[in-house]
Amino acid sequence: MNLTVGFDLDMTLIDSRPGIRAAYQALSAETGTFIDADEAVTRLGPPLDEELAYWFPEAQIPAMADRYREIYPAYAIGPTPAMPGAREAIEAVQALGGRAIVVTAKHEPNARLHLAHLGIEPDAVIGWLWAEAKAGALREYGAQVYVGDHVGDVRGARTAGALSVAVPTGPCPEPELRAAGADVVLPDLTALPDWLARYVAAQPV
């Protein structure tokens, strides 16, 4: 089989909470607008505009989103670690002769900065896609599996006709992921290489 596995980024491959918290704090200080950064990082997954709507009038959101993305590299890349097993999960796909792709709602240049900083090397990175919209990229690359932490990732996988593998390492606990239709729930990415080896072995040649 021509194996392709897609991965979400925030709270799947990277623990983006420290960096995003710092970026929101910087935006708050610069604009004089209160942003509860600790609260904001409990809702990671959906597009940036949805979070900014909690703190800014609708008319200001496009400009604030642009500014957030501009300052993001200075504040968010350095403090953000990889999730346990992230690098090994990507490498496990590639070791089986497959392609590992990252499909994320994040601004694509910033997603690439995170991965480069952490030495994680997927075969492709596609940004600006959330929930069902991820299905287009997953279909384009022929992904059989999509791995994510959010019910939006489950919906994206199912819309694409891919197997939904979920990890409860972000804002959505296991029961919520299962209720959304996740086919497989692993405790975290450290369990993915063994699961993937079993999955590939079970596929028809």
Side-chain angles (χ1 to χ4, degrees):
M1 65 183 296
N2 295 316
L3 177 67
T4 299
V5 179
F7 292 85
D8 175 51
L9 183 66
D10 287 357
M11 303 311 299
T12 300
L13 290 173
I14 65 173
D15 183 350
S16 47
R17 291 172 296 184
I20 288 177
R21 182 185 291 111
Y24 277 130
Q25 288 170 338
L27 185 66
S28 177
E30 182 178 297
T31 61
T33 298
F34 173 72
I35 299 173
D36 188 334
D38 290 323
E39 182 181 332
V41 298
T42 68
R43 294 190 284 253
L44 299 184
L48 173 62
D49 288 10
E50 291 188 22
E51 182 60 40
L52 293 175
Y54 287 100
W55 315 109
F56 293 95
E58 186 176 354
Q60 294 182 20
I61 290 173
M64 291 301 102
D66 286 346
R67 183 59 184 150
Y68 173 91
R69 293 184 182 110
E70 285 172 7
I71 65 175
Y72 186 94
Y75 292 96
I77 304 301
T80 297
M83 295 294 277
R87 189 176 295 102
E88 293 83 358
I90 296 286
E91 291 172 352
V93 177
Q94 295 164 336
L96 290 166
R99 293 187 301 176
I101 65 171
V102 174
V103 184
T104 174
K106 190 180 287 297
H107 182 50
E108 190 174 306
N110 288 340
R112 291 179 181 279
L113 287 174
H114 275 299
L115 294 164
H117 176 74
L118 295 169
I120 297 173
E121 299 180 353
D123 298 285
V125 180
I126 307 97
W128 294 94
L129 297 175
W130 162 240
E132 288 83 355
K134 294 186 174 189
L138 294 174
R139 286 197 202 100
E140 179 185 346
Y141 282 85
Q144 295 93 350
V145 177
Y146 185 60
V147 184
D149 68 284
H150 198 283
V151 292
D153 300 321
V154 176
R155 299 202 308 268
R158 295 185 70 83
T159 302
L163 194 75
S164 171
V165 176
V167 285
T169 50
C172 301
E174 180 174 345
E176 190 175 345
L177 294 164
R178 290 195 182 278
D183 297 296
V184 177
V185 180
L186 302 175
D188 57 36
L189 286 183
T190 62
L192 188 89
D194 285 347
W195 175 85
L196 187 65
R198 293 194 302 273
Y199 167 78
V200 169
Q203 301 308 302
V205 176

